[in-house]
């Protein structure tokens, strides 16, 4: 059986070793099953909400001629395929009609070729979507909290600004206050630009 090994991590939700751990699991399963590897796909920092056809690496395997180059898609868990239940339903149906298999290492009994198997897989896909949506909601709430509290959410400081470190007991950590002090050089540049524009 020709297998397509698929790995994926979402944006800012997992550590960098997740892809390596997935790869080790897929390699081991391929060796045990003595499968022929048709290809390997790694989509890093790609959300589970992105349709399979539109993913940078996996997308081309969903189209001709590569669609006909593999017999089974292997992943460590179903949510590595997609975090959208509608995308899963369409993909599973296409695989079913095309005689292809979907192999999930954490669910060896997964079967897309029986009504009961498809129903169970659909429920799992729904759970994956709910989990993804919960993460998105949590991130939005955190961003809104930082805005409300006038906090810097992280990343590179804007040019010409400095962060003030303040302690927030409820966060049990240090965060940078977004009320920055502009540096003197930046103030001079802005002032000169404004004066030059007024003179022009």
């Amino acid at each position: 059986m020709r297998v397509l090994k698929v790995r994926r991590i979402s944006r800012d939700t997992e550590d960098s070793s997740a892809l390596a751990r997935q790869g080790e699991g897929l390699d081991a399963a391929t060796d045990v099953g003595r499968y022929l590897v048709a290809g390997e796909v790694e989509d890093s920092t790609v959300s589970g909400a992105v349709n399979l056809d539109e993913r940078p690496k996996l997308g081309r395997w969903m189209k001709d001629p590569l669609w006909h180059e593999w017999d089974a898609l292997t992943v460590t868990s179903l949510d590595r395929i997609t975090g959208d239940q509608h995308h899963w339903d369409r993909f599973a149906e296409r695989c079913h009609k095309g005689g292809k298999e979907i192999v999930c290492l954490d669910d060896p009994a997964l079967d897309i070729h029986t009504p009961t198997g498809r129903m169970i897989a659909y429920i799992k896909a729904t759970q994956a979507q709910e989990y993804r949506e919960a993460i998105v909601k949590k991130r939005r709430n955190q961003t809104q909290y930082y805005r409300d509290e006038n906090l810097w959410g992280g990343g590179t400081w804007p040019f010409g600004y400095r962060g003030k470190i303040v302690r927030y007991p409820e966060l049990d950590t240090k965060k940078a206050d977004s009320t920055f002090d502009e540096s003197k050089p930046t103030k001079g540049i802005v002032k000169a630009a404004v004066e030059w524009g007024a003179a022009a």
Side-chain angles (χ1 to χ4, degrees):
M1 181 167 64
R2 302 170 301 170
V3 300
L4 177 63
K5 297 192 291 186
V6 175
R7 294 180 290 165
R8 182 188 67 80
I9 58 173
S10 300
R11 297 183 180 90
D12 304 326
T13 60
E14 302 175 76
D15 58 77
S16 58
S17 65
L19 285 172
R21 293 197 304 272
Q22 292 176 50
E24 292 172 357
L26 294 174
D27 290 343
T30 301
D31 291 340
V32 171
R34 296 184 178 181
Y35 301 135
L36 176 65
V37 179
E40 298 188 41
V41 172
E42 177 183 308
D43 279 320
S44 59
T45 64
V46 176
S47 171
V50 178
N51 198 353
L52 283 68
D53 293 346
E54 300 171 357
R55 293 183 187 169
K57 303 294 179 59
L58 181 60
R60 62 194 191 93
W61 289 89
M62 299 294 102
K63 306 177 181 69
D64 293 335
L66 292 182
W67 170 260
H68 302 287
E69 296 298 317
W70 55 276
D71 305 309
L73 183 145
T74 62
V75 289
T76 53
S77 59
L78 189 145
D79 64 339
R80 298 301 178 185
I81 298 177
T82 181
D84 186 292
Q85 62 187 27
H86 301 297
H87 294 168
W88 162 260
D89 200 35
R90 290 196 295 270
F91 176 64
E93 181 65 17
R94 185 182 179 192
C95 287
H96 170 59
K97 291 182 178 179
K100 296 183 181 294
E101 302 291 342
I102 299 174
V103 179
C104 292
L105 302 189
D106 69 342
D107 186 7
L110 180 71
D111 183 4
I112 62 169
H113 300 298
T114 65
T116 300
R118 288 196 294 273
M119 179 186 68
I120 294 174
Y122 184 81
I123 292 173
K124 290 189 174 183
T126 301
Q127 293 173 333
Q129 176 170 324
E130 290 176 345
Y131 175 73
R132 176 181 59 80
E133 291 174 346
I135 291 177
V136 172
K137 183 178 179 180
K138 181 179 179 180
R139 186 181 297 120
R140 287 175 179 170
N141 290 342
Q142 184 183 52
T143 300
Q144 187 60 50
Y145 174 79
Y146 284 165
R147 289 175 179 171
D148 294 342
E149 295 296 322
N150 202 29
L151 295 173
W152 176 247
T156 305
W157 301 115
F159 177 75
Y161 290 79
R162 293 175 297 172
K164 291 181 179 179
I165 303 301
V166 294
R167 182 176 293 278
Y168 278 74
E170 64 272 22
L171 296 178
D172 193 29
T173 185
K174 290 183 177 180
K175 295 294 179 181
D177 192 335
S178 63
T179 307
F180 303 124
D181 288 331
E182 294 181 336
S183 65
K184 291 181 180 180
T186 302
K187 287 183 178 180
I189 293 172
V190 173
K191 182 179 180 180
V194 171
E195 292 176 349
W196 182 84

